Amino acid sequence: METVLKICKKCGRYGGACSPDAKIHNGCGGELIDTGISHDELMIIRKISSDNDFLDAMIELKKTDIIEYNLKMSQFKTQANQQKQQKGNIPKCPTCGSTNLKKISGLSKAGSVAMWGVFAAGRTSKTWHCNNCGYEW
Ligand SMILES: [Zn+2]
Ligand SMILES: [Zn+2]
């Protein structure tokens, strides 16, 4: 069954995902008002920000400017998907397969070149250091 987001008139808290015919807030017995935001939309908004002010603004925007709202929601969806992809793309050590890696920053690269001169020149092309086996690539 489809769930919708409702807000409690009495305490101002969100009732979370309620069935469309829920009328009373379980927590305080106050009257629930439909926000017009579906549970799926709420999940996307929450991924972008957990701030209630932000959620309020999105609810208001859906009422006042549905075109702008839909535009923003499609942007949020893309953003949320990208975040998911980035998490799936964690680099692994090619030697031992460990994800316990340290990124060799540009600063430390520059520092090692300055300190060790040509001897460390080979290090400059390496980006990752494996904390597990010590391999660098
Ligand atoms: Zn309440
Ligand atoms: Zn390794």
Side-chain angles (χ1 to χ4, degrees), residues 92-98 100-101 129-135 137:
K92 274 184 191 163
C93 173
T95 311
C96 69
S98 169
N100 183 11
L101 308 172
H129 171 88
C130 175
N131 290 329
N132 191 43
C133 70
Y135 183 74
W137 71 100

Side-chain angles (χ1 to χ4, degrees), residues 42-50 76 80-81 83-84:
L42 174 68
M43 288 299 112
I44 293 162
I45 292 168
R46 283 303 196 207
K47 265 181 203 151
I48 301 301
S49 170
S50 57
F76 293 164
N81 281 341
Q83 280 171 359
K84 218 188 278 172

Side-chain angles (χ1 to χ4, degrees), residues 12-109:
R13 289 221 185 101
Y14 290 104
C18 307
S19 76
D21 40 58
K23 290 192 171 60
I24 302 295
H25 184 205
N26 279 337
C28 73
E31 190 191 338
L32 286 171
I33 310 159
D34 204 332
T35 60
I37 300 265
S38 76
H39 185 57
D40 287 348
E41 288 171 327
L42 174 68
M43 288 299 112
I44 293 162
I45 292 168
R46 283 303 196 207
K47 265 181 203 151
I48 301 301
S49 170
S50 57
D51 197 341
N52 269 347
D53 289 344
F54 179 69
L55 181 56
D56 286 341
M58 287 307 289
I59 290 166
E60 200 51 41
L61 187 64
K62 190 172 185 181
K63 281 182 210 153
T64 54
D65 191 346
I66 187 74
I67 294 167
E68 179 70 18
Y69 174 83
N70 284 336
L71 200 73
K72 283 223 159 28
M73 284 308 283
S74 72
Q75 283 172 358
F76 293 164
K77 264 183 225 170
T78 314
Q79 215 173 312
N81 281 341
Q82 278 170 353
Q83 280 171 359
K84 218 188 278 172
Q85 275 171 12
Q86 275 166 7
K87 268 180 200 160
N89 273 342
I90 295 168
K92 274 184 191 163
C93 173
T95 311
C96 69
S98 169
T99 52
N100 183 11
L101 308 172
K102 194 175 78 181
K103 193 159 193 177
I104 305 166
S105 72
L107 199 70
S108 80
K109 266 192 252 179

Side-chain angles (χ1 to χ4, degrees), residues 8 10-12 25 28-30:
C8 174
K10 193 173 164 190
C11 68
H25 184 205
C28 73

